[in-house]
Each structure stands twice: as structure tokens, then as C-alpha cells.
């Protein structure tokens, strides 16, 4: 099978590659998602686009875990933005979550709570109770490359499919 974007030698329906994915991701992938095998040493955006296609810089999205605090209460949420932008944690995220302070979650918290590998966190298969904030530009991208939950491999997903994930809220200007 040929991936709709990028230069990948090994692309298959994600539903046929569940054994390569963390359990929560394997349970959540759908027929419109494609898994591409990638070198884990090239998982970071700059190395990734150099290896698999320069056009992917505009078609890749990052998923980060944030922690919002109000008093003793902590709310974990995931944010998805195009790789050419940064999550507006102290503006859009903080206001949307209704918290006094928001910051990127510590790596051990992000990994422990998602069951995914750091550097491969994906919006697919996140805890259902979490808010999933997605920048509108991601949803408007016909196909976007996102993590697979592991550093080896990525998912190629129609942007609009991400808006249908549990807890998803599409926000303008999430990525600044």
C-alpha cells in the first residue's frame, strides 16, 4: 500500500498493525488510519521530514500533554497542533480548561497516564475523560502525520477524523 503523503517504504492499514501499537492505541485505531514504519531515531520532526519527505513539515502534527491547575485540582489534557506551530498553553489552553495555571505535563506523568512512549504520544487512544484540544488547522489538513503511541512508527490520519475522537474540541488559534 502507498501512503497518501510522504515517502514511506512500509505503509499498512493501522488496523492490521495493532500488535505494533500500545494497547490503548490498538483499541482505538480505525479503518481510515494508516500506520507507517519509521526509524525511531528519526521520530523528531526535523529528522523525520529529512528522511521521509520535506512536504511533511507542513503535514505533521504534535500531540502534547498539558496539566492545568486550579487550587489542588489538576486537569490533564492533550493538545494537537501542526508541527510548524506551538501550543498556546498560557492563553487558549488555560482559558479553555478554566484553570489558573497551565503547563506542559512532566514526562513521567505524560508517559504514565497515556501508556505511550515519550516522543510518540498520539491523540488516538488517550484516556476518554481527557479534554482533547485540536487546532482547527490540523482538522483542515486532508492528511496529517501524528505519533503512533510508540517512537517507532507514525499514523497518517485524515485531519477531520481527529475531530471525531473522544473528548475532541476544535479550537481556532490553539497553535500560535
Amino acid at each position: 500500500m502507498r501512503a497518501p503523503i510522504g515517502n514511506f517504504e512500509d505503509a499498512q492499514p493501522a488496523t492490521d498493525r495493532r500488535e505494533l501499537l500500545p494497547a490503548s492505541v490498538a483499541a482505538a485505531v480505525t479503518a481510515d488510519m494508516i500506520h507507517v514504519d519509521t526509524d525511531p531515531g528519526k521520530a523528531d520532526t526535523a529528522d523525520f521530514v529529512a528522511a521521509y519527505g520535506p512536504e511533511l513539515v507542513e503535514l505533521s502534527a504534535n500531540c502534547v500533554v498539558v496539566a492545568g491547575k486550579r487550587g489542588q485540582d489538576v486537569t490533564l489534557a492533550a493538545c494537537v497542533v501542526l508541527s510548524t506551530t506551538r501550543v498556546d498553553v498560557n492563553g487558549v489552553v488555560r482559558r479553555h480548561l478554566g484553570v489558573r495555571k497551565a503547563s506542559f505535563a512532566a514526562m513521567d506523568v505524560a508517559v504514565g497516564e497515556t501508556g505511550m512512549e515519550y516522543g510518540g504520544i498520539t491523540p488516538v487512544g488517550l484516556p476518554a475523560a481527557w479534554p482533547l484540544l485540536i487546532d482547527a488547522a490540523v482538522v483542515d489538513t486532508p492528511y496529517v502525520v501524528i505519533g503512533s503511541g510508540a517512537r517507532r512508527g507514525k499514523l497518517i490520519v485524515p485531519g477531520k477524523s481527529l475531530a471525531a475522537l473522544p473528548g475532541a474540541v476544535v479550537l481556532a488559534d490553539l497553535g500560535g
Side-chain angles (χ1 to χ4, degrees):
M1 148 178 242
R2 175 142 172 76
I5 57 175
N7 302 315
F8 301 99
E9 292 180 16
D10 188 2
Q12 296 295 325
T15 52
D16 293 348
R17 294 256 176 98
R18 294 181 200 272
E19 75 281 358
L20 300 176
L21 305 170
S24 65
V25 179
V29 292
T30 59
D32 62 348
M33 298 178 185
I34 297 166
H35 179 273
V36 292
D37 188 34
T38 59
D39 178 345
K42 297 177 180 169
D44 294 324
T45 304
D47 295 332
F48 182 78
V49 299
Y52 300 107
E55 74 279 9
L56 296 177
V57 74
E58 301 288 331
L59 303 174
S60 295
N62 295 321
C63 180
V64 297
V65 178
V66 297
K69 297 177 186 172
R70 179 176 277 287
Q72 301 291 53
D73 296 331
V74 176
T75 300
L76 293 176
C79 300
V80 182
V81 297
L82 292 175
S83 65
T84 54
T85 65
R86 304 187 97 167
V87 176
D88 183 3
V89 175
N90 289 310
V92 175
V93 173
R94 185 181 57 75
R95 284 190 300 275
H96 183 81
L97 295 179
V99 297
R100 289 196 181 274
K101 182 180 178 187
S103 59
F104 293 107
M107 180 173 55
D108 61 326
V109 171
V111 169
E113 295 293 326
T114 63
M116 299 177 199
E117 293 178 13
Y118 192 74
I121 293 177
T122 182
V124 179
L126 288 170
W130 282 21
L132 172 57
L133 311 180
I134 305 172
D135 189 83
V138 174
V139 175
D140 292 340
T141 303
Y143 285 97
V144 65
V145 177
I146 58 174
S148 68
R151 288 211 33 111
R152 177 172 205 109
K154 299 280 189 184
L155 297 175
I156 298 176
V157 181
K160 293 192 182 328
S161 294
L162 295 175
L165 292 173
V169 176
V170 178
L171 298 172
D173 301 320
L174 176 62

